[in-house]
């Protein structure tokens, strides 16, 4: 089976009602990254940061996958599909996608502040100061904050090296190392982009300049017609 690797960003979840980060109504308009999404911010004001992610988790549990997430499922009949997502929501999983690799962590998980490998499922529960991991350390969101290492970048780059087809959906390609993954895709493998805005990508790519809700279907139809 040929491999389709899909890289998704906040844009694929926009039509589910989850704000993107950099659009004009995006989250960074309301919060400064250095106040909520760095380890320093967490040390400075843990309650603010925990509440920020508690709010994101509540928003997620009020949301549902949209047509963009759902269309990707159709590819699984014909291709070995792997989704690499920068999103911390679980809307790909809710839509039924089988292989989802989260680059920047997951809202439905928490981990020990002392041991990065001690990860627990919390589902829709809030995290508060005083909530402890099994090792007795404070629980923190299982999120890769700016400036932190991205442990899944290695398996993600391996997947990209094996891509027969590569699809990019709803990402401004501003956040590294995720944005660099496209450089691992073999030169001869066709690439597709779905995003209503022009996204700078320095290789030949077929562009569907529209929202995921309509654009993903077009890419999927094309791949299924080959
Ligand atoms: P970004 O906000 O930088 O870019 C969003 C992109 O989505 C833009 O290019 C925009 O044009 C596009 N977009 C907007 N509406 C769209 C739609 N309906 N269909 C398709 N595309 C649409 O987000 P990013 O590139 O993912 O990077 C920012 C970081 O934000 C990531 O690290 C990610 O972890 C985090 N984030 C995650 C979520 C989530 O989990 N849903 C939400 C916001 C931010």
């Amino acid at each position: 089976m040929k491999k389709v690797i899909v890289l998704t960003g906040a844009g694929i979840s926009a039509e589910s009602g989850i704000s993107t980060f950099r659009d004009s109504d995006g989250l960074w308009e309301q919060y400064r990254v250095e106040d909520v999404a760095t380890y320093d911010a967490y040390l400075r004001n843990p309650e603010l940061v925990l509440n920020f992610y508690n709010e994101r988790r509540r928003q997620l549990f009020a949301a549902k996958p949209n047509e963009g997430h759902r269309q990707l499922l159709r590819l699984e009949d014909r291709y070995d599909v792997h989704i690499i997502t920068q999103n911390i929501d679980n809307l790909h999983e809710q839509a039924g996608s089988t292989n989802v690799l989260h680059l920047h962590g997951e809202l439905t998980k928490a981990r020990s502040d002392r041991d990065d490998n001690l990860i627990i499922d919390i589902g829709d529960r809030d995290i508060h100061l005083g909530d402890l991991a099994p090792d007795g350390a404070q629980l923190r969101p299982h999120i890769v904050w700016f400036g932190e290492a991205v442990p899944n970048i290695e398996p993600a780059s391996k997947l990209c090296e094996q891509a027969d087809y590569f699809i990019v959906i709803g990402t401004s390609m501003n956040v590294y190392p995720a944005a660099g993954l496209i450089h691992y895709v073999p030169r001869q493998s066709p690439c597709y982009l779905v995003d209503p805005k022009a996204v700078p990508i320095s290789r030949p790519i077929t562009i569907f300049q529209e929202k995921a809700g309509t654009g993903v279907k077009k890419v999927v139809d094309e791949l299924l017609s080959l």
Side-chain angles (χ1 to χ4, degrees):
M1 249 187 183
K2 291 202 164 177
K3 266 195 171 50
V4 176
I5 308 301
V6 188
L7 175 66
T8 65
I12 195 166
S13 296
E15 287 158 271
S16 294
I18 298 185
S19 332
T20 63
F21 270 23
R22 287 183 186 73
D23 289 317
S24 57
D25 57 348
L27 283 171
W28 292 148
E29 294 293 306
Q30 303 154 44
Y31 297 90
R32 294 182 333 149
V33 58
E34 54 272 31
D35 290 338
V36 290
T38 66
Y39 193 69
D40 276 353
Y42 173 68
L43 288 180
R44 232 176 11 247
N45 193 343
E47 208 153 358
L48 174 85
V49 173
L50 292 177
N51 281 338
F52 174 78
Y53 286 98
N54 288 341
E55 212 179 290
R56 306 274 73 75
R57 202 174 299 106
R58 281 186 215 128
Q59 193 185 33
L60 166 60
F61 274 84
K64 288 194 173 55
N66 64 59
E67 200 52 24
H69 299 102
R70 282 194 293 270
Q71 284 293 325
L72 291 173
L73 272 197
R74 291 171 58 217
L75 286 172
E76 294 197 10
D77 295 338
R78 271 271 306 281
Y79 295 97
D80 179 20
V81 181
H82 293 260
I83 298 174
I84 302 168
T85 188
Q86 298 168 80
N87 294 346
I88 56 177
D89 67 50
N90 63 2
L91 296 179
H92 285 301
E93 288 92 337
Q94 283 193 44
S97 284
T98 316
N99 304 309
V100 185
L101 182 67
H102 286 267
L103 281 180
H104 295 157
E106 295 171 69
L107 275 172
T108 57
K109 294 182 179 166
R111 68 173 188 257
S112 158
D113 197 7
R114 194 184 299 145
D115 177 359
D116 285 349
N117 296 315
L118 190 49
I119 302 163
I120 62 168
D121 280 315
I122 55 166
D124 62 352
R125 294 201 308 277
D126 283 358
I127 307 176
H128 295 291
L129 275 183
D131 291 348
L132 302 182
D135 64 354
Q138 170 66 42
L139 277 177
R140 59 162 276 183
H142 181 49
I143 302 290
V144 174
W145 284 322
F146 287 94
E148 293 190 310
V150 182
N152 278 343
I153 198 69
E154 208 181 313
S157 52
K158 293 254 152 40
L159 282 172
C160 292
E161 282 169 358
Q162 298 164 23
D164 294 296
Y165 301 95
F166 190 66
I167 310 174
V168 180
I169 307 166
T171 166
S172 58
M173 298 296 257
N174 260 315
V175 176
Y176 280 81
L181 283 172
I182 194 164
H183 302 303
Y184 290 86
V185 176
R187 281 195 173 279
Q188 71 278 9
S189 302
C191 293
Y192 301 86
L193 170 75
V194 180
D195 199 297
K197 285 200 190 136
V199 175
I201 290 189
S202 57
R203 66 173 280 163
I205 191 157
T206 304
I207 297 172
F208 294 86
Q209 196 166 349
E210 55 187 288
K211 292 183 174 181
T214 52
V216 177
K217 179 175 188 305
K218 292 181 186 170
V219 180
V220 169
D221 284 347
E222 182 160 333
L223 288 186
L224 291 178
S225 73
L226 298 177

